[in-house]
Coordinates of all heavy atoms in Angstrom, one line a residue:
M1 N -6.2 1.5 23.2 CA -5.1 1.8 22.2 C -5.5 3.0 21.5 O -6.5 3.1 20.8 CB -5.0 0.6 21.3 CG -3.9 0.7 20.3 SD -3.7 -0.9 19.4 CE -2.7 -0.4 18.2
K2 N -4.6 4.0 21.5 CA -4.8 5.2 20.8 C -4.3 5.1 19.3 O -3.3 4.6 19.0 CB -4.0 6.3 21.5 CG -4.3 7.7 20.9 CD -3.5 8.8 21.6 CE -3.9 10.1 20.9 NZ -2.9 11.1 21.0
H3 N -5.1 5.6 18.5 CA -4.8 5.6 17.0 C -4.6 7.1 16.6 O -5.4 8.0 17.0 CB -6.0 5.0 16.2 CG -6.3 3.6 16.6 ND1 -5.5 2.6 16.1 CD2 -7.2 3.1 17.3 CE1 -6.0 1.4 16.6 NE2 -7.0 1.7 17.3
S4 N -3.6 7.3 15.8 CA -3.4 8.7 15.2 C -3.9 8.7 13.8 O -3.7 7.7 13.0 CB -2.0 9.1 15.3 OG -1.2 8.2 14.5
K5 N -4.6 9.7 13.4 CA -5.1 9.8 12.1 C -4.2 10.6 11.2 O -3.6 11.6 11.7 CB -6.5 10.5 12.1 CG -7.6 9.7 12.7 CD -8.9 10.4 12.5 CE -10.1 9.5 12.8 NZ -11.4 10.2 12.5
S6 N -4.0 10.2 10.0 CA -3.3 11.0 9.0 C -4.3 11.5 8.0 O -5.3 10.9 7.8 CB -2.2 10.1 8.3 OG -2.8 9.3 7.4
P7 N -4.0 12.7 7.5 CA -4.9 13.2 6.4 C -5.1 12.2 5.3 O -6.3 12.0 4.8 CB -4.2 14.4 5.9 CG -3.4 14.9 7.1 CD -2.9 13.6 7.7
A8 N -4.1 11.4 4.9 CA -4.3 10.5 3.8 C -5.2 9.4 4.2 O -6.1 9.0 3.5 CB -2.9 9.9 3.5
A9 N -5.0 8.8 5.4 CA -5.9 7.7 5.9 C -7.4 8.2 6.0 O -8.3 7.5 5.7 CB -5.4 7.2 7.2
T10 N -7.5 9.4 6.5 CA -8.8 10.0 6.7 C -9.5 10.2 5.3 O -10.7 9.8 5.2 CB -8.8 11.4 7.4 OG1 -8.2 11.2 8.7 CG2 -10.1 12.0 7.6
Q11 N -8.8 10.7 4.4 CA -9.4 10.9 3.0 C -9.7 9.5 2.4 O -10.8 9.4 1.8 CB -8.4 11.7 2.1 CG -8.3 13.1 2.5 CD -7.3 13.9 1.7 OE1 -7.4 13.8 0.5 NE2 -6.4 14.6 2.3
L12 N -8.8 8.6 2.5 CA -9.1 7.2 1.9 C -10.4 6.7 2.6 O -11.3 6.2 1.9 CB -7.9 6.3 2.2 CG -8.2 4.8 1.8 CD1 -8.3 4.7 0.3 CD2 -7.1 3.9 2.3
G13 N -10.5 6.7 3.9 CA -11.6 6.2 4.6 C -12.9 6.9 4.2 O -13.9 6.2 4.0
E14 N -12.9 8.2 4.0 CA -14.1 8.9 3.6 C -14.5 8.4 2.2 O -15.7 8.2 1.9 CB -13.8 10.4 3.6 CG -13.7 11.0 5.0 CD -13.2 12.4 5.0 OE1 -12.9 13.0 3.9 OE2 -13.1 13.0 6.1
K15 N -13.6 8.2 1.3 CA -13.9 7.8 -0.1 C -14.5 6.4 0.0 O -15.4 6.1 -0.7 CB -12.7 7.9 -1.0 CG -12.3 9.3 -1.3 CD -11.1 9.4 -2.2 CE -10.7 10.8 -2.4 NZ -9.5 10.9 -3.2
V16 N -13.9 5.5 0.8 CA -14.4 4.1 0.9 C -15.8 4.1 1.5 O -16.7 3.4 0.9 CB -13.4 3.3 1.8 CG1 -14.0 2.0 2.1 CG2 -12.1 3.1 1.0
R17 N -16.0 4.9 2.5 CA -17.3 4.9 3.1 C -18.4 5.5 2.2 O -19.5 4.9 2.0 CB -17.3 5.8 4.4 CG -18.7 5.9 5.1 CD -18.6 6.8 6.3 NE -19.9 6.7 7.0 CZ -21.0 7.3 6.6 NH1 -21.0 8.1 5.5 NH2 -22.1 7.2 7.2
R18 N -18.0 6.5 1.5 CA -19.0 7.1 0.5 C -19.4 6.1 -0.6 O -20.5 6.0 -0.9 CB -18.3 8.4 -0.1 CG -19.3 9.3 -0.8 CD -18.7 10.6 -1.2 NE -17.3 10.7 -1.4 CZ -16.4 11.4 -0.6 NH1 -16.9 12.0 0.5 NH2 -15.1 11.4 -0.8
A19 N -18.4 5.4 -1.1 CA -18.7 4.4 -2.1 C -19.5 3.2 -1.6 O -20.5 2.8 -2.2 CB -17.4 3.8 -2.7
R20 N -19.3 2.8 -0.3 CA -20.1 1.8 0.3 C -21.5 2.2 0.5 O -22.4 1.5 0.2 CB -19.4 1.4 1.6 CG -20.3 0.4 2.4 CD -19.8 0.1 3.8 NE -19.6 1.2 4.7 CZ -20.7 1.7 5.4 NH1 -21.9 1.2 5.2 NH2 -20.4 2.7 6.2
V21 N -21.7 3.4 1.0 CA -23.0 3.9 1.3 C -23.8 4.1 0.0 O -25.0 3.8 -0.1 CB -22.9 5.3 2.0 CG1 -24.3 6.0 2.1 CG2 -22.4 5.0 3.4
E22 N -23.1 4.5 -1.1 CA -23.8 4.7 -2.4 C -24.3 3.3 -2.9 O -25.3 3.3 -3.6 CB -22.8 5.3 -3.4 CG -22.6 6.8 -3.2 CD -21.7 7.4 -4.2 OE1 -21.3 6.7 -5.2 OE2 -21.2 8.5 -4.0
L23 N -23.6 2.3 -2.6 CA -24.0 0.9 -2.9 C -25.1 0.4 -2.0 O -25.8 -0.6 -2.3 CB -22.9 -0.1 -2.9 CG -21.8 0.1 -4.0 CD1 -20.6 -0.8 -3.7 CD2 -22.4 -0.1 -5.4
G24 N -25.4 1.0 -0.9 CA -26.4 0.6 0.0 C -26.0 -0.6 0.8 O -26.8 -1.4 1.2
L25 N -24.7 -0.8 1.0 CA -24.2 -2.0 1.7 C -23.6 -1.6 3.1 O -23.2 -0.5 3.3 CB -23.1 -2.7 0.9 CG -23.5 -3.2 -0.4 CD1 -22.4 -3.7 -1.3 CD2 -24.5 -4.4 -0.2
S26 N -23.6 -2.6 4.0 CA -23.1 -2.4 5.3 C -21.6 -2.6 5.3 O -21.0 -3.2 4.4 CB -23.7 -3.4 6.3 OG -23.4 -4.7 6.0
Q27 N -20.9 -2.2 6.4 CA -19.5 -2.5 6.6 C -19.3 -4.0 6.6 O -18.3 -4.5 6.1 CB -19.0 -1.9 7.9 CG -18.8 -0.4 7.9 CD -18.2 0.1 9.1 OE1 -18.0 -0.6 10.1 NE2 -17.8 1.4 9.0
E28 N -20.2 -4.7 7.2 CA -20.1 -6.2 7.3 C -20.2 -6.8 5.9 O -19.4 -7.7 5.6 CB -21.3 -6.8 8.2 CG -21.2 -6.5 9.6 CD -21.7 -5.1 10.0 OE1 -22.3 -4.4 9.1 OE2 -21.5 -4.7 11.2
N29 N -21.0 -6.3 5.1 CA -21.1 -6.8 3.7 C -19.8 -6.6 3.0 O -19.3 -7.6 2.4 CB -22.2 -6.1 2.9 CG -23.6 -6.3 3.3 OD1 -24.4 -5.3 3.3 ND2 -24.0 -7.4 3.8
I30 N -19.2 -5.4 3.0 CA -18.0 -5.2 2.3 C -16.9 -6.0 2.9 O -16.1 -6.6 2.1 CB -17.7 -3.6 2.3 CG1 -18.8 -2.8 1.7 CG2 -16.3 -3.4 1.6 CD1 -19.0 -3.1 0.2
A31 N -16.8 -6.0 4.2 CA -15.7 -6.8 4.8 C -15.7 -8.2 4.4 O -14.7 -8.9 4.1 CB -15.8 -6.6 6.3
E32 N -16.9 -8.8 4.4 CA -17.1 -10.2 4.0 C -16.7 -10.4 2.6 O -15.9 -11.4 2.3 CB -18.5 -10.7 4.2 CG -18.7 -12.2 3.9 CD -20.1 -12.6 4.1 OE1 -20.9 -11.9 4.7 OE2 -20.4 -13.7 3.7
L33 N -17.1 -9.6 1.7 CA -16.8 -9.7 0.3 C -15.3 -9.5 0.0 O -14.7 -10.1 -0.9 CB -17.6 -8.7 -0.5 CG -19.1 -9.0 -0.6 CD1 -19.8 -7.8 -1.2 CD2 -19.4 -10.3 -1.4
A34 N -14.7 -8.6 0.8 CA -13.2 -8.4 0.7 C -12.4 -9.4 1.5 O -11.1 -9.3 1.5 CB -12.9 -7.0 1.1
Q35 N -13.0 -10.3 2.1 CA -12.4 -11.4 2.9 C -11.5 -10.8 4.0 O -10.3 -11.1 4.1 CB -11.6 -12.3 2.0 CG -12.4 -13.0 1.0 CD -11.7 -13.9 0.1 OE1 -10.4 -14.0 0.1 NE2 -12.4 -14.6 -0.8
M36 N -12.1 -9.9 4.8 CA -11.4 -9.3 5.9 C -12.3 -9.1 7.1 O -13.5 -9.2 7.0 CB -10.8 -7.9 5.5 CG -11.8 -6.9 5.1 SD -11.1 -5.4 4.4 CE -10.0 -4.8 5.7
H37 N -11.7 -8.9 8.3 CA -12.6 -8.8 9.5 C -13.2 -7.4 9.5 O -12.6 -6.4 9.1 CB -11.7 -8.9 10.7 CG -12.5 -9.2 12.0 ND1 -13.1 -8.1 12.6 CD2 -12.8 -10.3 12.6 CE1 -13.7 -8.6 13.7 NE2 -13.6 -9.9 13.7
V38 N -14.5 -7.3 9.9 CA -15.2 -6.1 9.9 C -14.6 -5.0 10.8 O -14.6 -3.8 10.4 CB -16.7 -6.3 10.2 CG1 -16.8 -6.8 11.7 CG2 -17.5 -5.1 9.9
T39 N -13.9 -5.4 11.8 CA -13.3 -4.5 12.7 C -12.1 -3.7 11.9 O -12.0 -2.5 12.0 CB -12.7 -5.2 14.0 OG1 -13.7 -5.8 14.6 CG2 -12.0 -4.2 14.9
N40 N -11.4 -4.5 11.2 CA -10.3 -3.9 10.4 C -10.8 -3.0 9.3 O -10.3 -1.9 9.0 CB -9.4 -5.0 9.8 CG -8.6 -5.7 10.9 OD1 -8.4 -5.2 11.9 ND2 -8.3 -6.9 10.6
Y41 N -11.9 -3.4 8.7 CA -12.6 -2.6 7.6 C -13.0 -1.3 8.2 O -12.8 -0.2 7.7 CB -13.7 -3.4 7.0 CG -14.4 -2.5 6.0 CD1 -13.9 -2.3 4.7 CD2 -15.5 -1.8 6.3 CE1 -14.5 -1.5 3.8 CE2 -16.2 -0.9 5.4 CZ -15.6 -0.8 4.1 OH -16.2 0.0 3.2
G42 N -13.7 -1.4 9.4 CA -14.2 -0.2 10.1 C -13.1 0.8 10.4 O -13.3 2.0 10.3
K43 N -11.9 0.3 10.8 CA -10.8 1.2 11.1 C -10.3 1.9 9.8 O -9.9 3.1 9.9 CB -9.6 0.4 11.6 CG -9.8 -0.1 13.1 CD -8.7 -1.0 13.5 CE -8.9 -1.5 14.9 NZ -7.8 -2.3 15.4
I44 N -10.4 1.3 8.7 CA -10.1 1.9 7.4 C -11.0 3.0 7.1 O -10.6 4.2 6.8 CB -10.0 0.9 6.3 CG1 -8.8 -0.1 6.5 CG2 -9.9 1.6 4.9 CD1 -8.8 -1.3 5.6
E45 N -12.3 2.8 7.3 CA -13.3 3.8 7.0 C -13.1 5.0 8.0 O -13.4 6.1 7.6 CB -14.7 3.3 7.2 CG -15.2 2.6 5.9 CD -16.7 2.5 5.9 OE1 -17.5 3.0 6.7 OE2 -17.2 1.8 4.9
R46 N -12.7 4.7 9.2 CA -12.6 5.8 10.2 C -11.2 6.5 10.1 O -10.9 7.5 10.8 CB -12.7 5.3 11.6 CG -14.1 4.9 12.0 CD -14.4 4.5 13.4 NE -13.4 3.6 14.0 CZ -13.5 2.3 13.9 NH1 -14.5 1.7 13.2 NH2 -12.6 1.5 14.5
G47 N -10.4 6.0 9.2 CA -9.1 6.6 8.9 C -8.0 6.4 10.0 O -7.1 7.2 10.2
I48 N -8.2 5.3 10.8 CA -7.2 5.0 11.8 C -6.4 3.7 11.5 O -5.7 3.2 12.3 CB -7.9 4.8 13.2 CG1 -9.0 3.8 13.2 CG2 -8.5 6.2 13.6 CD1 -9.6 3.5 14.5
A49 N -6.5 3.2 10.3 CA -5.7 2.1 9.8 C -4.8 2.5 8.7 O -5.1 3.5 8.0 CB -6.6 0.9 9.4
N50 N -3.8 1.8 8.5 CA -2.8 2.0 7.4 C -2.9 0.7 6.5 O -2.0 -0.1 6.7 CB -1.4 2.3 7.9 CG -0.5 2.7 6.8 OD1 -0.9 3.1 5.8 ND2 0.8 2.5 7.1
P51 N -3.9 0.6 5.7 CA -4.0 -0.7 4.9 C -2.9 -0.8 3.9 O -2.4 0.1 3.3 CB -5.4 -0.5 4.3 CG -5.6 0.9 4.2 CD -4.9 1.5 5.4
S52 N -2.6 -2.1 3.6 CA -1.6 -2.4 2.6 C -2.3 -2.1 1.2 O -3.5 -2.0 1.1 CB -1.2 -3.8 2.6 OG -2.3 -4.7 2.3
L53 N -1.4 -2.1 0.2 CA -1.9 -1.9 -1.2 C -2.9 -3.0 -1.6 O -3.9 -2.8 -2.2 CB -0.7 -1.8 -2.1 CG -1.1 -1.6 -3.6 CD1 -2.0 -0.4 -3.8 CD2 0.1 -1.6 -4.5
V54 N -2.5 -4.2 -1.2 CA -3.4 -5.4 -1.5 C -4.7 -5.2 -0.9 O -5.8 -5.5 -1.5 CB -2.7 -6.7 -1.1 CG1 -3.6 -7.9 -1.3 CG2 -1.4 -6.9 -2.0
T55 N -4.8 -4.8 0.4 CA -6.1 -4.6 1.0 C -6.9 -3.5 0.4 O -8.1 -3.6 0.1 CB -5.9 -4.2 2.5 OG1 -5.2 -5.3 3.2 CG2 -7.2 -3.9 3.2
I56 N -6.2 -2.4 0.0 CA -6.9 -1.3 -0.7 C -7.5 -1.8 -2.1 O -8.6 -1.5 -2.5 CB -6.0 -0.1 -0.9 CG1 -5.6 0.5 0.4 CG2 -6.7 1.0 -1.8 CD1 -4.5 1.6 0.3
L57 N -6.7 -2.6 -2.7 CA -7.1 -3.2 -4.0 C -8.3 -4.1 -3.8 O -9.3 -4.1 -4.6 CB -6.0 -4.0 -4.7 CG -6.2 -4.6 -6.0 CD1 -6.8 -3.6 -7.0 CD2 -4.9 -5.2 -6.6
R58 N -8.3 -4.9 -2.8 CA -9.4 -5.8 -2.5 C -10.7 -5.0 -2.2 O -11.8 -5.3 -2.8 CB -9.1 -6.7 -1.3 CG -8.1 -7.8 -1.6 CD -7.8 -8.8 -0.5 NE -8.5 -8.6 0.8 CZ -7.9 -8.7 1.9 NH1 -6.6 -8.9 2.1 NH2 -8.6 -8.7 3.1
I59 N -10.6 -4.0 -1.4 CA -11.7 -3.1 -1.1 C -12.2 -2.4 -2.4 O -13.4 -2.4 -2.7 CB -11.4 -2.1 0.0 CG1 -11.2 -2.8 1.3 CG2 -12.5 -1.1 0.1 CD1 -10.6 -2.0 2.4
A60 N -11.3 -1.9 -3.2 CA -11.7 -1.2 -4.4 C -12.4 -2.1 -5.4 O -13.4 -1.8 -6.0 CB -10.5 -0.6 -5.1
S61 N -11.9 -3.4 -5.4 CA -12.5 -4.4 -6.3 C -14.0 -4.7 -5.9 O -14.9 -4.7 -6.7 CB -11.7 -5.7 -6.3 OG -10.4 -5.4 -6.8
V62 N -14.2 -4.8 -4.6 CA -15.5 -5.1 -4.1 C -16.4 -3.9 -4.3 O -17.6 -4.1 -4.7 CB -15.5 -5.4 -2.5 CG1 -16.9 -5.4 -1.9 CG2 -14.8 -6.7 -2.3
L63 N -15.9 -2.7 -4.2 CA -16.7 -1.5 -4.4 C -16.9 -1.2 -5.9 O -17.7 -0.2 -6.2 CB -16.0 -0.3 -3.7 CG -16.0 -0.3 -2.2 CD1 -15.1 0.8 -1.7 CD2 -17.3 -0.3 -1.6
G64 N -16.3 -1.9 -6.8 CA -16.5 -1.7 -8.2 C -15.7 -0.5 -8.7 O -16.2 0.2 -9.7
T65 N -14.6 -0.1 -8.1 CA -13.8 1.0 -8.5 C -12.4 0.6 -8.5 O -12.1 -0.6 -8.5 CB -14.0 2.2 -7.5 OG1 -13.4 3.4 -8.0 CG2 -13.5 1.9 -6.1
D66 N -11.5 1.5 -8.7 CA -10.1 1.2 -8.7 C -9.3 2.0 -7.6 O -9.8 2.9 -7.0 CB -9.4 1.4 -10.1 CG -9.6 2.8 -10.6 OD1 -9.7 3.8 -9.8 OD2 -9.5 3.0 -11.8
V67 N -8.1 1.5 -7.4 CA -7.3 2.1 -6.3 C -7.1 3.6 -6.6 O -7.1 4.4 -5.7 CB -5.9 1.4 -6.2 CG1 -5.0 2.1 -5.2 CG2 -6.2 0.0 -5.7
A68 N -6.9 4.0 -7.9 CA -6.6 5.3 -8.3 C -7.8 6.3 -7.8 O -7.5 7.4 -7.4 CB -6.4 5.5 -9.8
T69 N -9.0 5.8 -8.0 CA -10.1 6.6 -7.5 C -10.1 6.8 -6.0 O -10.4 7.9 -5.6 CB -11.4 5.9 -8.0 OG1 -11.5 5.8 -9.4 CG2 -12.7 6.7 -7.5
L70 N -9.8 5.8 -5.3 CA -9.8 5.9 -3.8 C -8.6 6.7 -3.3 O -8.7 7.3 -2.2 CB -9.7 4.5 -3.2 CG -11.0 3.6 -3.5 CD1 -10.8 2.3 -2.8 CD2 -12.2 4.3 -3.0
T71 N -7.5 6.8 -4.1 CA -6.4 7.6 -3.6 C -6.1 8.9 -4.4 O -5.1 9.6 -4.1 CB -5.1 6.7 -3.7 OG1 -4.9 6.3 -5.1 CG2 -5.2 5.5 -2.8
A72 N -7.0 9.2 -5.3 CA -6.9 10.4 -6.1 C -6.8 11.7 -5.2 O -7.5 11.8 -4.2 CB -8.1 10.6 -7.0
G73 N -5.8 12.5 -5.5 CA -5.6 13.8 -4.8 C -4.7 13.7 -3.6 O -4.3 14.7 -3.1
L74 N -4.3 12.5 -3.2 CA -3.4 12.3 -2.1 C -2.0 12.7 -2.5 O -1.5 12.4 -3.6 CB -3.4 10.9 -1.6 CG -4.7 10.4 -1.0 CD1 -4.5 9.0 -0.5 CD2 -5.1 11.3 0.2
S75 N -1.3 13.4 -1.7 CA 0.1 13.8 -2.0 C 0.9 13.8 -0.7 O 0.4 13.4 0.4 CB 0.1 15.2 -2.5 OG -0.2 16.2 -1.5
R76 N 2.2 14.2 -0.8 CA 3.0 14.1 0.4 C 2.5 15.1 1.5 O 2.8 14.9 2.7 CB 4.5 14.4 0.0 CG 4.7 15.9 -0.2 CD 6.2 16.1 -0.6 NE 6.6 17.4 -0.1 CZ 7.8 17.9 -0.4 NH1 8.6 17.2 -1.1 NH2 8.1 19.1 0.1
D77 N 1.7 16.0 1.1 CA 1.1 16.9 2.1 C 0.1 16.2 3.0 O -0.3 16.7 4.1 CB 0.4 18.1 1.4 CG 1.3 19.0 0.7 OD1 2.5 19.1 1.1 OD2 0.9 19.7 -0.3
D78 N -0.3 15.0 2.6 CA -1.3 14.2 3.4 C -0.6 13.2 4.3 O -1.3 12.4 4.9 CB -2.3 13.6 2.4 CG -3.1 14.6 1.6 OD1 -3.6 15.5 2.2 OD2 -3.1 14.5 0.4
L79 N 0.7 13.2 4.3 CA 1.4 12.2 5.2 C 1.2 12.6 6.6 O 0.9 13.8 6.9 CB 2.9 12.2 4.9 CG 3.3 11.6 3.5 CD1 4.8 11.9 3.3 CD2 3.1 10.1 3.6
P80 N 1.3 11.6 7.5 CA 1.2 12.0 9.0 C 2.2 13.0 9.4 O 3.3 13.0 8.8 CB 1.4 10.6 9.7 CG 1.2 9.6 8.6 CD 1.5 10.2 7.3
T81 N 1.9 13.7 10.4 CA 2.9 14.6 11.0 C 4.2 13.9 11.4 O 4.1 12.8 11.9 CB 2.3 15.3 12.3 OG1 1.1 15.9 11.9 CG2 3.2 16.3 12.9
G82 N 5.3 14.5 11.1 CA 6.6 13.9 11.4 C 7.2 13.2 10.2 O 8.4 12.8 10.3
F83 N 6.5 13.0 9.1 CA 7.1 12.4 8.0 C 7.5 13.5 7.0 O 6.8 14.0 6.2 CB 6.1 11.5 7.2 CG 5.9 10.1 7.9 CD1 5.0 10.0 8.9 CD2 6.6 9.1 7.5 CE1 4.8 8.7 9.5 CE2 6.5 7.8 8.0 CZ 5.5 7.7 9.1
D84 N 8.8 13.9 7.1 CA 9.3 14.9 6.3 C 10.1 14.2 5.2 O 11.3 13.9 5.3 CB 10.3 15.8 7.1 CG 9.5 16.6 8.2 OD1 8.3 16.9 7.9 OD2 10.1 16.7 9.3
V85 N 9.4 14.0 4.1 CA 10.1 13.3 2.9 C 10.7 14.4 2.0 O 10.2 15.5 1.8 CB 9.2 12.4 2.1 CG1 8.7 11.3 3.0 CG2 8.0 13.2 1.6
L86 N 11.9 14.1 1.5 CA 12.6 14.9 0.6 C 12.4 14.4 -0.8 O 12.8 13.2 -1.1 CB 14.1 15.0 0.9 CG 15.0 15.8 0.0 CD1 14.6 17.3 0.2 CD2 16.4 15.6 0.4
P87 N 11.8 15.2 -1.7 CA 11.6 14.7 -3.1 C 13.0 14.4 -3.7 O 14.0 15.1 -3.5 CB 10.9 15.8 -3.8 CG 10.3 16.6 -2.7 CD 11.2 16.5 -1.5
A88 N 13.0 13.3 -4.5 CA 14.3 13.0 -5.1 C 14.8 14.1 -6.0 O 16.1 14.3 -6.0 CB 14.1 11.7 -6.0
A89 N 14.0 14.9 -6.6 CA 14.4 16.0 -7.5 C 15.2 17.0 -6.6 O 16.2 17.5 -7.1 CB 13.3 16.7 -8.2
D90 N 14.7 17.3 -5.4 CA 15.4 18.2 -4.5 C 16.8 17.7 -4.1 O 17.8 18.4 -4.0 CB 14.6 18.5 -3.3 CG 13.3 19.3 -3.6 OD1 13.2 19.8 -4.8 OD2 12.5 19.5 -2.7
F91 N 16.8 16.4 -3.8 CA 18.0 15.7 -3.4 C 19.1 15.8 -4.5 O 20.2 16.2 -4.3 CB 17.8 14.2 -3.0 CG 19.0 13.4 -2.9 CD1 19.8 13.5 -1.7 CD2 19.5 12.6 -3.9 CE1 20.9 12.8 -1.6 CE2 20.6 11.8 -3.8 CZ 21.4 11.9 -2.6
L92 N 18.6 15.5 -5.7 CA 19.5 15.5 -6.9 C 20.0 16.9 -7.2 O 21.2 17.1 -7.5 CB 18.9 14.9 -8.1 CG 18.5 13.4 -8.0 CD1 17.6 13.0 -9.2 CD2 19.8 12.6 -8.0
R93 N 19.2 17.9 -7.1 CA 19.6 19.3 -7.3 C 20.6 19.7 -6.3 O 21.6 20.3 -6.6 CB 18.3 20.2 -7.2 CG 18.6 21.6 -7.6 CD 17.3 22.5 -7.7 NE 16.1 22.0 -6.9 CZ 15.1 21.3 -7.3 NH1 15.0 21.0 -8.6 NH2 14.1 21.0 -6.5
E94 N 20.4 19.4 -5.0 CA 21.4 19.7 -4.0 C 22.7 19.0 -4.2 O 23.8 19.5 -4.0 CB 20.8 19.4 -2.6 CG 21.7 19.8 -1.4 CD 22.1 21.3 -1.4 OE1 21.3 22.1 -1.9 OE2 23.1 21.6 -0.7
R95 N 22.6 17.7 -4.5 CA 23.8 16.9 -4.8 C 24.6 17.5 -5.9 O 25.9 17.7 -5.8 CB 23.5 15.5 -5.1 CG 24.7 14.6 -5.3 CD 24.3 13.2 -5.8 NE 23.8 13.4 -7.2 CZ 23.3 12.4 -7.9 NH1 23.2 11.2 -7.4 NH2 22.9 12.6 -9.1
D96 N 23.9 17.9 -7.0 CA 24.6 18.5 -8.2 C 25.2 19.8 -7.8 O 26.3 20.2 -8.3 CB 23.7 18.6 -9.3 CG 23.3 17.2 -9.9 OD1 23.9 16.2 -9.6 OD2 22.3 17.1 -10.7
R97 N 24.5 20.6 -7.0 CA 25.0 21.9 -6.6 C 26.3 21.8 -5.8 O 27.2 22.6 -6.0 CB 24.0 22.6 -5.8 CG 24.3 24.1 -5.4 CD 23.3 24.7 -4.5 NE 23.4 24.1 -3.1 CZ 24.3 24.4 -2.2 NH1 25.2 25.3 -2.5 NH2 24.2 23.9 -1.0
R98 N 26.4 20.8 -5.0 CA 27.6 20.6 -4.2 C 28.7 19.9 -5.0 O 29.9 20.0 -4.6 CB 27.3 19.7 -3.0 CG 26.4 20.4 -2.0 CD 26.1 19.5 -0.8 NE 25.2 20.2 0.1 CZ 25.0 19.9 1.4 NH1 25.8 18.9 1.9 NH2 24.2 20.5 2.1
G99 N 28.3 19.3 -6.1 CA 29.2 18.8 -7.1 C 30.3 18.0 -6.7 O 31.3 17.6 -7.0

């Protein structure tokens, strides 16, 4: 099964891995503490999974950090290729212009 990496998932995975390594724990340790399968945890570290907010919160809690630390700096520029989101401000400006 082929997995596509997004910049956001890659950055999240790198931050999670760095925090885990700093604690001196294995992927197995973190996965067990977060009550998840180690295979799924490994996919998050490799940036090939799209974890839910609850999963990110569980991992952050185990790592002794918060979700904001793990997601700091992520923006729409980090979305996977093909996700062209229009900011609400741009939509409203165009709608008002057309009046």
Side-chain angles (χ1 to χ4, degrees):
M1 180 173 171
K2 186 178 180 206
H3 299 282
S4 61
K5 288 187 172 186
S6 75
T10 300
Q11 289 178 49
L12 173 69
E14 289 170 356
K15 290 178 184 180
V16 167
R17 181 181 184 284
R18 196 169 25 248
R20 175 184 60 79
V21 169
E22 285 178 12
L23 291 172
L25 295 172
S26 68
Q27 287 186 348
E28 291 83 4
N29 296 143
I30 300 299
E32 182 179 350
L33 292 168
Q35 299 178 358
M36 60 188 303
H37 195 279
V38 67
T39 302
N40 294 333
Y41 177 82
K43 288 178 182 178
I44 293 169
E45 278 199 6
R46 290 190 309 278
I48 59 174
N50 185 22
S52 70
L53 177 59
V54 171
T55 298
I56 297 169
L57 181 54
R58 288 182 2 224
I59 292 169
S61 298
V62 169
L63 295 172
T65 190
D66 58 25
V67 173
T69 299
L70 296 178
T71 59
L74 296 179
S75 72
R76 77 182 213 184
D77 295 334
D78 299 307
L79 289 170
T81 303
F83 281 87
D84 298 322
V85 295
L86 179 67
D90 292 350
F91 168 79
L92 293 170
R93 188 172 26 260
E94 182 63 21
R95 183 188 69 184
D96 291 346
R97 185 185 71 78
R98 292 180 183 202

